[in-house]
Amino acid sequence: LKQVVAQATSDDLRLVRAKAIECISLVGLAVGKEKFAPDAHDVMVMMSQTQFKGDDPQTEYIVNAWPRICKCLGPDFVPYLEHVMPLLLESAAKKPDVQMQDADQGEMEGMENLLIGDKMIGIRTSDMEEKKNACMALARFVEHLQEHFYPYIEKTATIMLPLLKFFYHEDVRLAAAFAMPEFVKCCLKHAEAAGSDLAISAQLTNVIY
């Protein structure tokens, strides 16, 4: 599988490479950290060097693979956060491509269409999938890493909190809701371990309740 990821670099093999990455992350979960750790670094480096092109199928598979590898490695995944977080935060914060037209003009191609009164609202489906996958990955990182995710908690929470009311996609709201208690636990465990200002935790608690 590592050979496939390393060698299947042409455009026509992007989906094959993406599937190989998915398999590797599932193998890692199946065999556990002790057996997977020696290969994990090579895999993460190869994924970080991926050059995405337009509507690249690799993006979804890689973003979904990261939380599995994170779950397998636990705190040993922390060194890779500096490489994966910029992409995830950018995707999670991405503004949806929304268009509106009169309902009698019909549905818009390539868009998720919502009929509201006499207007048809179109939302770019690919943008929503990218946003949803990024939000789920961030939520899983917090769940698996707990206090080790603390250096990224403020940036992540700032993006995720407004998504509790994200009108356009239910799964984005669900990911944000799932992350809220994990944010609080992250802050509390960090405070227990090192002594810290609990302002962020208190803010999140107020929002949840």
Side-chain angles (χ1 to χ4, degrees), residues 42-202:
D42 293 341
V43 173
M44 289 299 301
V45 168
M46 285 189 286
M47 285 195 285
S48 69
Q49 293 174 343
T50 301
Q51 299 295 317
F52 299 117
K53 300 177 182 178
D55 190 15
D56 195 328
Q58 294 180 96
T59 308
E60 178 180 355
Y61 285 88
I62 287 175
V63 169
N64 289 333
W66 283 335
R68 299 189 195 107
I69 296 174
C70 176
K71 182 177 181 179
C72 177
L73 298 182
D76 288 348
F77 188 82
V78 170
Y80 303 114
L81 287 176
E82 64 178 292
H83 303 292
V84 306
M85 287 297 291
L87 173 63
L88 292 178
L89 291 173
E90 180 182 352
S91 295
K94 191 172 186 178
K95 300 295 184 184
D97 179 6
V98 179
Q99 300 179 25
M100 184 172 65
Q101 63 185 27
D102 292 335
D104 57 12
Q105 293 182 260
E107 295 189 346
M108 290 168 266
E109 187 177 349
M111 312 281 272
E112 182 178 345
N113 292 273
L114 301 173
L115 180 61
I116 301 179
D118 62 350
K119 298 295 183 182
M120 184 70 71
I121 297 177
I123 307 155
R124 184 73 59 188
T125 306
S126 58
D127 289 350
M128 290 299 93
E129 283 298 306
E130 178 185 344
K131 191 177 187 76
K132 177 200 74 174
N133 290 331
C135 289
M136 285 304 304
L138 291 169
R140 293 300 182 188
F141 281 174
V142 187
E143 177 192 19
H144 300 321
L145 297 177
Q146 294 292 304
E147 67 270 23
H148 303 286
F149 189 81
Y150 187 80
Y152 300 92
I153 199 76
E154 188 167 6
K155 283 186 178 180
T156 307
T158 299
I159 292 172
M160 297 283 276
L161 280 170
L163 299 181
L164 289 168
K165 299 178 181 180
F166 189 72
F167 171 77
Y168 302 108
H169 203 292
E170 180 182 12
D171 287 341
V172 172
R173 296 196 302 273
L174 289 173
F178 176 84
M180 292 303 111
E182 302 303 327
F183 287 152
V184 175
K185 285 190 283 185
C186 169
C187 293
L188 292 174
K189 289 191 175 183
H190 172 78
E192 291 173 4
S196 171
D197 183 3
L198 292 180
I200 296 177
S201 179

Side-chain angles (χ1 to χ4, degrees), residues 26-37:
L26 292 169
V27 168
L29 275 181
V31 303
K33 177 180 175 179
E34 183 177 350
K35 289 186 178 294
F36 182 62

